[in-house]
Amino acid sequence: MTDYPGYIYATTIALGGVFGYVKAGSIPSLFFGLTFGGLAAYAANRTSVNPKNAILAFVVSSVLFIVMGVRFYKSGKFMPAGFVSTLR
């Protein structure tokens, strides 16, 4: 069974990194967005093959939840940190 929510999550993360680069010229946003988006896509692939392979998806989404949650808490701005921390 294909993990469509996982692929949508991965695409959202990757596009967020690209958008951060285009809007603000942020190379770290591009790098981390593509890195975590790629990891999330790989995790979605592994989960699609065997639903018991969800540990990578859990780790990637947990790291993003913590990092972006802290950024949201410090900045008080919902976009993009608050939005990303509420995904998945």
Side-chain angles (χ1 to χ4, degrees), residues 28-85:
S29 289
L30 179 64
F31 175 77
F32 287 109
L34 293 178
T35 299
F36 276 92
L39 285 171
Y42 178 71
N45 176 267
R46 300 308 313 145
T47 305
S48 294
V49 171
N50 181 359
K52 293 182 180 183
N53 287 336
I55 189 71
L56 181 60
F58 176 75
V59 169
V60 169
S61 63
S62 295
V63 168
L64 284 173
F65 173 75
I66 292 167
V67 170
M68 297 306 260
V70 168
R71 288 185 64 196
F72 172 60
Y73 179 76
K74 288 182 178 180
S75 72
K77 296 179 183 177
F78 183 72
M79 287 301 286
F83 177 72
V84 172
S85 66

Side-chain angles (χ1 to χ4, degrees), residues 9-45:
Y9 178 74
T11 302
T12 302
I13 299 302
L15 287 176
V18 171
F19 185 73
Y21 175 73
V22 169
K23 184 176 178 188
S26 174
I27 293 175
S29 289
L30 179 64
F31 175 77
F32 287 109
L34 293 178
T35 299
F36 276 92
L39 285 171
Y42 178 71
N45 176 267

